[in-house]
């Protein structure tokens, strides 16, 4: 099995750049259309939805982003929604809310350049994609040189090992993110 070839279809490098977001406010249907056009290639199943009205309404109710005006979403809202979209499969809505609480407060105080922050986020995500591809190459080398040939020559067992390895790494990263969220929350309590 060629691991890199199998994972090519993930479209990991598919990030919404701030330049792709119009500088004018959008209605919810336009927001959904923008996200669907940008991220549809990353859907697991054809019938999956990238973003729905219900999702956006739930994000608003959970105060994951600062309030909208006149039923329109600003560029800054879309930047936040893009980050939420990436985080939602790993962190709970509650944890995402804790994470963005400070950003939303800064946005409401009008003293934060969210676009600059977001551009740094996209740069970091692009670097993470490169690191992930390097990690996959390392996994292939381990399979070829360090593991029992009777196991890795069985396609099913090799794939099972890779699945368990990737889910293990995912768990490590999720737990680290949760720890950082807890630290943010604790620092917020101490500031009060």
């Amino acid at each position: 099995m060629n691991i890199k070839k199998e994972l090519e279809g993930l479209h990991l490098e598919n990030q919404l750049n701030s330049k792709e977001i119009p500088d004018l406010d959008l209605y919810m249907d336009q927001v959904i259309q923008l996200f669907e056009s940008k991220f549809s290639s990353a859907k697991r199943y054809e019938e999956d939805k990238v973003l729905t009205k219900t999702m956006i309404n739930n994000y608003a109710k959970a105060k994951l982003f600062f309030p909208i005006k006149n039923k329109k979403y600003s560029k800054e809202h879309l930047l936040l929604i893009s980050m939420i979209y990436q985080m939602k499969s790993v962190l709970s809505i509650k944890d995402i809310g804790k994470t963005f609480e400070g950003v939303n407060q800064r946005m409401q105080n009008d003293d934060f350049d969210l676009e600059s922050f977001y551009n740094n986020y996209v740069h970091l995500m692009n670097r993470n994609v490169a690191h992930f591809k390097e990690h996959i190459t390392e996994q292939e080398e381990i399979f070829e040189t360090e593991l029992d040939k009777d196991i890795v020559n069985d396609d099913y067992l090799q794939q099972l090992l890779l699945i368990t390895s990737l889910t293990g790494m995912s768990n490590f990263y999720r737990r680290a993110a949760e720890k950082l969220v807890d630290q943010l929350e604790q620092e917020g309590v101490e500031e009060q």
Side-chain angles (χ1 to χ4, degrees), residues 54-66 84 92-101 104:
T54 302
M55 288 178 195
I56 294 172
N57 286 330
N58 287 340
Y59 301 162
K61 285 179 192 171
K63 298 182 179 172
L64 301 187
F65 50 80
F66 56 97
I84 294 165
S92 69
I93 293 291
K94 182 179 176 184
D95 282 347
I96 294 170
K98 291 178 201 174
T99 301
F100 284 114
E101 188 176 317
N104 284 312

Side-chain angles (χ1 to χ4, degrees), residues 114-125:
L114 182 59
E115 187 169 355
S116 178
F117 175 81
Y118 184 83
N119 290 336
N120 282 274
Y121 158 79
V122 169
H123 179 77
L124 186 59
M125 291 299 289

Side-chain angles (χ1 to χ4, degrees), residues 40-48:
S40 65
S41 63
K43 294 189 303 189
R44 184 174 181 187
Y45 300 111
E46 187 63 35
E47 66 272 8
D48 288 348

Side-chain angles (χ1 to χ4, degrees), residues 121-156:
Y121 158 79
V122 169
H123 179 77
L124 186 59
M125 291 299 289
N126 289 334
R127 294 287 302 201
N128 289 343
V129 169
H131 289 301
F132 178 75
K133 289 179 179 180
E134 289 172 14
H135 176 75
I136 293 300
T137 300
E138 290 172 9
Q139 292 284 301
E140 283 184 319
E141 292 170 7
I142 292 168
F143 275 59
E144 292 171 7
T145 61
E146 297 179 27
L147 301 181
D148 184 330
K149 296 294 180 216
D150 291 335
I151 301 295
V152 295
N153 287 335
D154 181 314
D155 287 342
Y156 167 73

